[in-house]
């Protein structure tokens, strides 16, 4: 590439960036100029061929055509598998070092699921019986009573209720509350790992890059306490084979729990409707004030 | 942002980039890693909010839904209006300084249009009569006989035949040849400026940024001579009000021509079926050998 060629290519990029100079909204201007700058930097760096550019156009078009109104959002899947969703999560949920880490919300939350009593079972499909116990506290360790924990996970077939018509309403979903000492108890099944949908362009991309589509087993939480930042996170099974290679980069070391096998009851399960043996995991969620 | 936060956000980007380490195709690996790097750099730089991220997801989804199989390609329009198409053109058509500059191909070319004789009229709809004359030469100035010039432009309503069912077949399209001295003559109408389609997400983006959708008046050329690089370019009317602000950044100074008014015939129009007065433009295309 000669200096002349380099200069004329740089001029194209500059003109494209400057075309947004008069955007009346300063934030829109900033976003479009930064996006255009980085998009051009990518094209210049790899010296994209016309054929590759057209493959990109076709990929984006198919990704759009794969999206429907409700069940499938292939662009979110693309954002997830490129790590963008997780980066946006990190940027928007910066928190003090001792508050609980966040992770991606994901597309499978359903609002308005049943309220469940302390220790109530939310699993209506088979699986390995589990009790998830713990506490919700502030950053100084004080109990937060009456916190609402909205919880969701897949059935053993890797599908969420709502996504899978065969599952009963509210299966593996529910809204729990902490008691007066900040404790909660969730009767469920041990989460399983599952693949993200691979029958679209994103699946083709993963396959071409020899990336697998699996997410490690996890239980979703959205925890709300008035006066505290809403906490959206997962708890991951500590022994999952995909912890190091989550297809959407959601894993954090601090969010791993052990589902230990229990052959006897103790204070933490006495009085709860759960048969021996079962598996038990514990976690303390630390909420940061707003 | 603390150093801890910065480090944990950088770690997400690194993991996403490294996820493509094992892509068996080296070029795919390079493209995906560069794309992921620059996409993350953009998100980090503007500290994209979750709401803005979701607006982006919706914008891309609507752009996909606006694409149909044939007539409308909204992602190409997005690439065009962000200057990416023009940058890809520049990267892929680097040429010696004295060869004719290239510009974008655009989506309106139709293959297999009628062959036309020297000076034949290709305009079957009204407009200001024009004669476009010139020569095709090599970089040393030698005439290139029998060069094929595939030519297309819009009618006065701003639409191309093929796009506009009201226009007759082959209107304002044709394949001309240079004569034994490298000369060509095209009888047509003076090109007009026209807006790119604005009824989709790209139109909304332009509007939000207070950018207009107009392309300056131009005549498309694709010129082929065996042994020479195929030349795809436009000739722009030198007095068009949108030369400095082409919605797709296609204009180059070297590609502007004057349609001068002619009240008499001379050697360049004698014998051609064209009534006085008319407008005449001239251009010498310089082809680079392969």
């Amino acid at each position: 590439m000669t200096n002349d060629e380099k200069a004329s290519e740089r001029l194209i990029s500059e003109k494209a960036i400057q075309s947004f100079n008069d955007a009346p909204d300063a934030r829109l201007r900033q976003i479009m100029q930064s996006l255009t700058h980085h998009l051009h930097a990518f094209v210049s760096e790899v010296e994209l061929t016309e054929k590759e550019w057209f493959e990109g156009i076709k990929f984006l078009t198919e990704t759009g055509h794969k999206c429907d109104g409700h069940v499938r959002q292939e662009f979110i899947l693309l954002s997830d598998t490129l790590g963008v969703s997780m980066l946006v999560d990190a940027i928007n949920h910066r928190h003090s070092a001792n508050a609980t880490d966040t992770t991606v919300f994901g597309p499978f939350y359903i609002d308005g699921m049943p309220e469940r009593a302390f220790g109530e079972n939310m699993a209506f499909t088979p699986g390995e019986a589990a009790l998830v116990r713990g506490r919700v506290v502030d950053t100084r360790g004080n109990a937060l009573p009456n916190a609402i924990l909205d919880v969701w996970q897949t059935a053993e077939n890797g599908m969420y209720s709502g996504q899978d018509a065969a599952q009963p309403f509210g299966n593996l979903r529910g809204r729990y509350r902490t008691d007066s000492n900040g404790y909660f108890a969730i009767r469920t099944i041990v989460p399983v790992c599952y693949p993200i949908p691979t029958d679209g362009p994103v699946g083709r991309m993963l396959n071409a890059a020899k990336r697998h589509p699996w997410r490690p087993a996890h239980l979703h939480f959205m925890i709300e306490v008035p006066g505290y930042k809403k906490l959206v996170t997962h708890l991951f099974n500590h022994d999952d084979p995909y912890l190091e290679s989550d297809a959407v980069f959601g894993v954090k070391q601090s969010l791993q729990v052990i589902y230990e096998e229990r052959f006897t009851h103790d204070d933490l399960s006495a009085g709860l409707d759960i048969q021996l043996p079962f598996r038990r995991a514990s976690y303390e969620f630390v909420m940061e004030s707003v």
Side-chain angles (χ1 to χ4, degrees), chain A:
Chain A
M1 181 162 49
T2 67
N3 284 340
D4 261 12
E5 286 161 356
K6 198 184 293 180
S8 89
E9 288 163 29
R10 196 173 297 136
L11 188 63
I12 293 168
S13 301
E14 279 166 19
K15 280 167 90 174
I17 292 166
Q18 286 164 9
S19 74
F20 291 101
N21 277 352
D22 296 333
D25 183 292
R27 178 65 175 165
L28 179 75
R29 182 165 67 245
Q30 181 195 17
I31 288 176
M32 292 311 300
Q33 293 193 321
S34 174
L35 176 68
T36 306
H37 167 77
H38 288 288
L39 194 55
H40 279 246
F42 156 64
V43 170
S44 291
E45 181 173 291
V46 303
E47 302 198 329
L48 203 66
T49 70
E50 291 175 307
K51 185 166 177 293
E52 289 162 349
W53 169 84
F54 193 57
E55 288 298 319
I57 294 289
K58 284 195 293 183
F59 180 88
L60 290 168
T61 305
E62 284 175 55
T63 301
H65 286 166
K66 194 77 188 170
C67 297
D68 53 34
H70 302 285
V71 178
R72 185 67 174 268
Q73 226 310 345
E74 193 81 356
F75 274 115
I76 291 186
L77 215 53
L78 182 59
S79 168
D80 292 350
T81 52
L82 294 180
V84 171
S85 307
M86 201 51 202
L87 180 59
V88 169
D89 174 77
I91 289 168
N92 286 273
H93 300 282
R94 291 171 182 156
H95 54 75
S96 69
N98 61 343
T100 298
D101 279 328
T102 62
T103 189
V104 284
F105 188 51
F108 298 114
Y109 174 73
I110 299 177
D111 194 15
M113 286 293 105
E115 290 229 19
R116 305 217 185 264
F118 191 90
E120 184 181 332
N121 187 8
M122 68 173 191
F124 309 117
T125 49
E128 197 173 5
L131 178 66
V132 179
R133 288 235 28 168
R135 224 176 159 207
V136 178
V137 298
D138 69 16
T139 51
R140 289 182 309 248
N142 301 312
L144 293 173
N146 227 21
I148 294 174
L149 298 91
D150 218 325
V151 182
W152 66 107
Q153 70 177 94
T154 70
E156 282 215 318
N157 68 0
M159 308 255 276
Y160 291 88
S161 62
Q163 189 190 15
D164 172 12
Q167 292 179 41
F169 173 81
N171 187 41
L172 295 161
R173 297 177 181 273
R175 293 159 65 83
Y176 291 84
R177 270 175 205 274
T178 53
D179 67 14
S180 57
N181 294 312
Y183 288 105
F184 65 88
I186 300 161
R187 170 69 182 85
T188 184
I189 55 174
V190 178
V192 296
C193 55
Y194 62 87
I196 61 170
T198 55
D199 61 336
V202 170
R204 286 211 317 277
M205 175 193 77
L206 293 179
N207 189 48
K210 290 273 176 288
R211 284 177 53 181
H212 70 70
W214 290 85
R215 293 218 63 205
H218 59 275
L219 179 54
H220 288 265
F221 285 86
M222 180 165 76
I223 306 180
E224 289 180 274
V225 185
Y228 293 82
K229 292 183 186 168
K230 176 159 63 170
L231 174 63
V232 174
T233 196
H234 307 351
L235 294 182
F236 294 92
N237 303 15
H238 88 290
D239 57 351
D240 193 282
Y242 301 114
L243 281 179
E244 293 303 314
S245 61
D246 183 357
V248 311
F249 311 101
V251 179
K252 289 175 178 170
Q253 178 69 33
S254 65
L255 298 174
Q256 299 175 23
V257 292
I258 298 175
Y259 286 83
E260 46 177 353
E261 194 154 21
R262 299 293 304 175
F263 297 99
T264 57
H265 283 292
D266 61 12
D267 284 359
L268 295 181
S269 59
L272 296 177
D273 174 29
I274 185 163
Q275 281 195 310
L276 294 167
F278 67 93
R279 290 192 174 266
R280 190 173 69 199
S282 301
Y283 200 78
E284 187 169 79
F285 292 102
V286 181
M287 306 289 286
E288 188 168 20
S289 57
V290 286

